[in-house]
Amino acid sequence: MASSKREPSLGNEAEQVKQDLHRHYKYTLGRFDSAPNSPYMLPAISYTVRDRLMERWSFTAEEEQRKDTRKVFYLSLEFLLGRSLSNAILNLDMEEPARNALMEFGCSLEGIEEKEKDAGLGNGGLGRLAACFMDSCASLGLPVVGYGIRYEYGMFHQSLHSGRQVEQPDHWLIDGNVWEIERPDHTRTVKFYGYTEFYINDSGKQCARWVGTQNVLAVAYDMPIPGYRNNRVNTLRLWKAAASDEFNLQEFNEGDYSDAVAQKNLAEQITMVLYPNDASESGKELRLRQQYFLASASLQDVIADWVAKRGENFDEFANYHCFQLNDTHPTLAVAELMRLLMDEHKLSWHSAWDITKKTMAYTNHTLLPEALEKWSVRLMKELLPRLLDIIYEVNARFLAEVAQKWPGDIARQQRMSIIEEGPEPHVRMAYLAIVGSFSVNGVAGLHSHLLTTGLFRDFYELWPKKFNNKTNGVTPRRWMAHCNKGLSALLNESIGEAWVSDLSQLGKLRAYVDDASFCERWLHIKRNNKVRLSNLVKQVCNVDFDPEAIFDVQVKRIHEYKRQLLNILHVIHLYDRITRGDVAGIKPRCVLIGGKAAPGYALAKLIIKLANNVAHVVNSDSKASEYLKLVFFPNYRVSSMEIICPGTDLSEQISTAGKEASGTGNMKFMMNGALTIGTYDGANIEILDAVGAEHFFLFGLKVEEIGNFRIQNDPNYLIEQDEDLKRVVNLLECGHFSMFEPGIFEPLIWAIRNPSDPWMTAADFRSYVDSQKLATAAFEDRNGWCKSSIINTASSAKFSSDRTISEYARDIWKII
Ligand code: 26Q
């Protein structure tokens, strides 16, 4: 483990921690009582922990200054951090002293920790991946800085009204945020609108500058990212938009006060809210402003740092910097770096392009062609005219290269052009990212393969060496050590404590699979975690989950391709069998579904409504509820996953093959000893490979099979042929789950019956139900299941984000 040499003076001695807690409560927060329920205990303990972070943070900063090494900048519109206190306590090894100090106030550590609001600055997988990566970079001692946006409102709060999703604002900063430090001295100015002016400089060279702009300030807020017990603290810098005084003053002098205020609002809107779409929502100007705001502020920040140290000499710049683009969202960085280097720092096109191509790296997270980002040329011309000039020039030079390689192949030039021509021309952001980067990676083996053979095939033919795979991972600190204390204790005792920062140690667990007393303890821990989850389900859904039943869980964003609908069809099928009295082989099962739908995604919202209606019918049927429970768990977020994944037996990873780029929830469940029921898709394939087919419930069509199947696929025929499916669809059609709102599920029925069903719901139904039967039977064999559970955890080493980050660091970033 990489560690900083200097020893921090602020220690974890019980007495010192107690004193600090008292001091912060009284002097920092001005509280003179000591009520156990005081809302100020959370900030008081947070400040106490933060003091210890601060010292290590300053060491890391000092070391970085001194060492002057190559650095990586992870650019992402999303960092889905969740809670910080419990994470900092774990990574700083402060659990005991923190617990004891709080006890003096009559508080429990867990009770205080769960009062912290999640930092929900992301939609789902991509945002949480960025957070796991930050944890791994700090834990591996790597010089990586995260750059993102400090949204005033994070991912919306989901509540349910009559079973329908209602979005409410997530004002996560309302009680203040102990985990950020404002750095007004790092404020940057970001330009919008205006026009390009060409001029001849003193040495007679033609230059361009962007003038007549409206400027917005970017104010830096830094969040500490502690490494795991290595005295290192990295930085996540989040930008907040503020109006520039200069602009206000000008308006004010012209006597238009209200216009000035309106302008201020317009500026501050930029970082007001996270867009809650996890597939691209096209065309929203504010979203484009967010993207440019992040790209420009971050690059200016990095360049200012360089100039302060090295002056205006950029010869070595590319050797010292690498920018990792988290999907296309920050891709304007390609054009912005060109602009800054040419217009502001007077480099030639040639030198600027050389630097850009050597420093930018792009990660793709989607295979859905409709989710590839595009921005209209018209909008870009208005908002970012100088960047559009640059994009056109990049494209012209790129197409010349294409023409040289494939002379006369006009179709190919059109296909590969960064500009999609048509009545309304668009900029294809993924193409800009590929052309401007030295590395393009997918996030799981299959995904990377499908990128080079499908979506980006032309580019792969041109530059095969640019393309690579980096299979995702998740941090074992949050997703095992923190969220599963029972399992952690057992692991520490049996295989030692090193696994937390070296997950390959988990392999040693295989030696215990036939150890009966170990198995008993394993099952006991799982049972405790299931009781904890049952209590949560009781509290938020008022439904009783029996910890003896199999806990069958699907939590993730609601999407057609993720096929929550298929899961619900299976529940309906079980319900149908039980109510008909056909209970042979049916065993108690508790099904939990959770996740948010994009506010504008009607069908996804209808799936939530169906889950709730089916839940209501099943849970209130005396016969069915003996065997079967279903809940739709509201407001699924990072902190709920921390309780859900340790309590899960069966992890649902049932996307249509070829659609889920990787998945990361699948990895969290596996680490915590759940078995997967899943398709041959994304990282499931690698999970299956690691764990072995006997410990995984594989079902469904594979990518290669889907292509052929689609041609002759007729869901209506399949429904006719399959008695079980027919009955399920009949129950839906006869309004059994929509008694009071007849017909509301028509669009979902149509989706199942749709002859061109893109999600293969009917096609995979039979094999899904059969696979579920196998899972039920397997669960009945308590010891066999326990063995599989242990083997799942034991085989999960590959899915540590430490492994993923080591690969990025070695292959792309070249920093180890
Ligand atoms: C884009 C433009 C405008 C508005 C919103 C967006 C937008 C926002 C978020 C588009 C996509 C996202 C998020 C995508 C995402 O989370 N993808 C998931 O990434 C995971 C990490 O690599 C993978 O494991 C999942 O398979 C993938 O779905």
Side-chain angles (χ1 to χ4, degrees):
M1 187 193 315
S3 73
S4 305
K5 280 123 232 100
R6 282 172 64 184
E7 277 308 308
S9 63
L10 266 180
N12 292 347
E13 301 77 32
E15 205 42 48
Q16 179 73 60
V17 172
K18 256 179 223 169
Q19 268 181 30
D20 288 355
L21 180 64
H22 275 92
R23 180 170 53 81
H24 281 301
Y25 193 75
K26 188 166 169 186
Y27 294 95
T28 308
L29 296 157
R31 300 289 115 181
F32 310 125
D33 54 359
S34 67
N37 295 331
S38 164
Y40 295 94
M41 287 316 300
L42 172 63
I45 188 69
S46 300
Y47 280 123
T48 304
V49 173
R50 197 184 79 170
D51 290 341
R52 277 125 186 110
L53 282 177
M54 283 297 172
E55 198 180 19
R56 291 161 171 86
W57 205 0
S58 76
F59 291 169
T60 307
E62 236 172 70
E63 194 186 312
E64 288 302 310
Q65 275 291 334
R66 202 181 50 245
K67 283 205 324 212
D68 193 29
T69 50
R70 179 172 166 83
K71 282 199 190 67
V72 174
F73 304 91
Y74 197 82
L75 269 52
S76 178
L77 269 283
E78 305 192 5
F79 287 90
L80 188 41
L81 297 169
R83 291 176 178 148
S84 289
L85 175 62
S86 44
N87 184 246
I89 287 178
L90 173 73
N91 284 11
L92 267 51
D93 198 10
M94 287 188 69
E95 187 172 324
E96 274 319 294
R99 186 184 300 285
N100 291 336
L102 285 168
M103 211 127 73
E104 290 219 332
F105 282 84
C107 302
S108 81
L109 176 59
E110 287 74 18
I112 296 297
E113 282 175 349
E114 69 188 29
K115 285 188 201 295
E116 184 182 347
K117 291 194 166 57
D118 282 37
L121 309 184
N123 274 284
L126 165 151
R128 182 55 229 177
L129 186 76
C132 284
F133 280 6
M134 291 305 292
D135 179 84
S136 283
C137 289
S139 296
L140 293 165
L142 300 175
V144 178
V145 174
Y147 275 113
I149 290 183
R150 181 182 177 278
Y151 300 106
E152 209 76 40
Y153 294 87
M155 188 60 201
F156 65 79
H157 179 281
Q158 176 194 59
S159 47
L160 299 170
H161 290 189
S162 320
R164 289 179 192 274
Q165 168 174 298
V166 174
E167 302 93 21
Q168 278 147 346
D170 162 52
H171 204 180
W172 70 293
L173 292 166
I174 187 113
D175 305 322
N177 179 9
V178 168
W179 306 109
E180 65 181 15
I181 302 292
E182 188 179 349
R183 304 237 184 263
D185 48 323
H186 288 268
T187 299
R188 309 287 161 201
T189 301
V190 178
K191 300 179 179 193
F192 292 98
Y193 302 104
Y195 55 94
T196 307
E197 191 176 82
F198 295 96
Y199 67 101
I200 306 292
N201 74 0
D202 297 342
S203 15
K205 252 179 62 186
Q206 221 216 18
C207 300
R209 61 185 163 216
W210 187 3
V211 295
T213 54
Q214 297 181 26
N215 299 341
V216 176
L217 299 181
V219 185
Y221 286 75
D222 286 355
M223 295 188 72
I225 307 289
Y228 182 73
R229 300 186 188 177
N230 63 355
N231 290 336
R232 186 176 176 101
V233 177
N234 279 358
T235 300
L236 170 59
R237 177 160 289 179
L238 302 179
W239 299 106
K240 175 195 160 100
S244 65
D245 289 345
E246 134 215 339
F247 198 87
N248 288 346
L249 210 64
Q250 181 195 332
E251 292 275 335
F252 197 66
N253 290 341
E254 285 163 14
D256 199 343
Y257 177 72
S258 40
D259 241 34
V261 174
Q263 283 302 331
K264 184 174 158 66
N265 280 331
L266 212 62
E268 289 172 359
Q269 253 185 45
I270 293 176
T271 54
M272 201 52 76
V273 60
L274 166 80
Y275 272 90
N277 312 290
D278 68 339
S280 79
E281 179 179 277
S282 48
K284 290 283 189 314
E285 177 179 338
L286 183 58
R287 170 75 181 182
L288 187 60
R289 283 204 265 158
Q290 291 182 337
Q291 296 186 347
Y292 179 63
F293 179 77
L294 169 68
S296 180
S298 310
L299 289 174
Q300 288 186 54
D301 207 45
V302 172
I303 291 176
D305 213 44
W306 176 261
V307 170
K309 276 198 209 128
R310 306 273 193 133
E312 292 286 333
N313 183 345
F314 287 85
D315 294 351
E316 289 292 311
F317 186 86
N319 292 330
Y320 281 83
H321 299 89
C322 180
F323 301 98
Q324 190 71 42
L325 307 175
N326 200 18
D327 215 298
T328 50
H329 315 155
T331 289
L332 284 169
V334 169
E336 177 67 358
L337 184 56
M338 291 297 291
R339 184 188 75 82
L340 290 168
L341 293 176
M342 294 189 303
D343 297 5
E344 317 255 320
H345 299 278
K346 310 300 168 209
L347 268 64
S348 66
W349 179 279
H350 179 81
S351 313
W353 186 239
D354 187 55
I355 289 174
T356 302
K357 270 195 317 184
K358 283 182 177 154
T359 54
M360 296 283 163
Y362 157 55
T363 306
N364 173 284
H365 298 263
T366 185
L367 280 158
L368 307 179
E370 66 271 25
L372 287 184
E373 256 193 305
K374 286 193 254 178
W375 289 102
S376 89
V377 165
R378 178 191 42 77
L379 177 57
M380 237 187 241
K381 196 182 189 101
E382 188 189 335
L383 191 68
L384 308 166
R386 179 66 186 125
L387 275 93
L388 185 63
D389 295 340
I390 292 169
I391 292 170
Y392 268 121
E393 181 71 26
V394 167
N395 195 39
R397 292 172 186 243
F398 164 63
L399 289 181
E401 201 178 325
V402 174
Q404 211 168 47
K405 167 125 188 181
W406 292 285
D409 193 344
I410 305 297
R412 196 186 283 262
Q413 286 183 42
Q414 267 171 8
R415 280 203 312 268
M416 296 180 79
S417 173
I418 295 170
I419 307 295
E420 178 188 79
E421 298 296 350
E424 168 87 83
H426 281 83
V427 180
R428 295 162 164 159
M429 301 306 279
Y431 293 5
L432 177 60
I434 298 171
V435 173
S437 299
F438 67 89
S439 163
V440 178
N441 76 281
V443 290
L446 174 70
H447 171 228
S448 298
H449 172 72
L450 292 173
L451 285 180
T452 55
T453 52
L455 227 41
F456 300 153
R457 189 193 177 124
D458 289 323
F459 291 89
Y460 179 66
E461 283 176 16
L462 184 58
W463 297 310
K465 286 201 278 246
K466 253 194 210 189
F467 290 79
N468 65 98
N469 173 246
K470 295 287 169 281
T471 298
N472 282 167
V474 303
T475 172
R477 268 73 64 184
R478 183 176 298 258
W479 299 114
M480 294 182 79
H482 159 64
C483 74
N484 201 338
K485 292 268 145 72
L487 179 63
S488 293
L490 178 61
L491 295 179
N492 290 345
E493 207 186 302
S494 49
I495 61 169
E497 296 182 12
W499 61 272
V500 186
S501 42
D502 171 15
L503 213 60
S504 69
Q505 299 286 327
L506 288 183
K508 293 183 183 164
L509 275 177
R510 283 178 180 267
Y512 292 85
V513 287
D514 294 317
D515 176 335
S517 80
F518 185 88
C519 263
E520 275 314 306
R521 291 179 69 187
W522 189 271
L523 289 173
H524 181 71
I525 291 160
K526 181 56 85 177
R527 200 193 140 86
N528 286 344
N529 289 329
K530 289 172 76 173
V531 169
R532 179 168 65 144
L533 176 52
S534 302
N535 293 338
L536 180 67
V537 166
K538 180 70 184 169
Q539 188 195 319
V540 300
C541 311
N542 195 27
V543 172
D544 291 298
F545 268 19
D546 176 1
E548 294 304 311
I550 186 170
F551 280 17
D552 166 348
V553 175
Q554 187 179 24
V555 283
K556 48 181 81 241
R557 289 300 292 263
I558 312 291
H559 250 286
E560 288 164 275
Y561 83 81
K562 293 178 190 282
R563 297 200 294 192
Q564 282 91 356
L565 185 55
L566 183 60
N567 188 349
I568 299 170
L569 295 185
H570 173 245
V571 173
I572 297 175
H573 163 67
L574 291 178
Y575 164 82
D576 173 52
R577 282 190 52 195
I578 301 165
T579 50
R580 270 174 20 230
D582 172 19
V583 293
I586 295 191
K587 302 290 176 205
R589 183 185 281 250
C590 297
V591 181
L592 184 151
I593 300 176
K596 293 174 182 175
Y601 191 169
L603 215 65
K605 289 180 133 178
L606 197 55
I607 291 171
I608 293 177
K609 172 66 173 161
L610 177 64
N612 279 297
N613 282 19
V614 172
H616 181 76
V617 170
V618 168
N619 299 342
S620 48
D621 182 298
S622 58
K623 208 161 144 203
S625 64
E626 242 181 77
Y627 292 91
L628 185 60
K629 293 281 172 59
L630 170 63
V631 298
F632 183 85
F633 187 94
N635 200 35
Y636 170 64
R637 59 197 186 280
V638 172
S639 58
S640 11
M641 185 57 156
E642 291 167 7
I643 296 171
I644 292 169
C645 78
T648 295
D649 296 308
L650 188 61
S651 153
E652 300 271 349
Q653 306 300 336
I654 60 178
S655 52
T656 312
K659 300 296 178 188
E660 189 70 271
S662 159
T664 43
N666 47 4
M667 301 167 184
K668 295 164 197 167
F669 286 114
M670 180 199 199
M671 284 179 182
N672 285 279
L675 277 67
T676 304
I677 180 161
T679 45
Y680 207 72
D681 196 20
N684 294 354
I685 296 170
E686 288 155 78
I687 288 177
L688 169 65
D689 180 55
V691 79
E694 347 50 299
H695 310 290
F696 187 110
F697 302 99
L698 178 68
F699 76 95
L701 293 167
K702 300 192 169 162
V703 190
E704 323 77 270
E705 296 165 337
I706 286 181
N708 295 327
F709 193 87
R710 214 180 270 294
I711 300 164
Q712 33 106 41
N713 182 24
D714 177 3
N716 296 300
Y717 176 77
L718 293 174
I719 293 165
E720 230 14 75
Q721 293 300 301
D722 187 318
E723 205 51 40
D724 291 333
L725 181 55
K726 190 155 117 190
R727 298 187 61 90
V728 167
V729 175
N730 270 341
L731 279 172
L732 279 172
E733 286 178 336
C734 78
H736 193 75
F737 304 105
S738 50
M739 294 289 200
F740 305 107
E741 296 167 279
I744 54 166
F745 296 125
E746 283 299 318
L748 291 178
I749 296 164
W750 162 245
I752 303 165
R753 289 193 174 278
N754 180 358
S756 66
D757 176 14
W759 317 116
M760 302 273 123
T761 312
D764 278 346
F765 177 83
R766 178 47 36 203
S767 104
Y768 181 53
V769 168
D770 290 346
S771 187
Q772 288 284 17
K773 262 190 208 152
L774 293 179
T776 305
F779 190 72
E780 283 306 288
D781 170 11
R782 204 165 166 272
N783 292 328
W785 187 275
C786 182
K787 191 169 164 176
S788 289
S789 170
I790 296 170
I791 290 176
N792 264 272
T793 302
S795 317
S796 64
K798 176 177 176 188
F799 306 103
S800 166
S801 46
D802 295 347
R803 187 272 310 151
T804 313
I805 285 300
S806 303
E807 292 179 7
Y808 275 89
R810 186 192 61 204
D811 305 341
I812 303 177
W813 303 340
K814 303 275 181 349
I815 53 173
I816 52 172

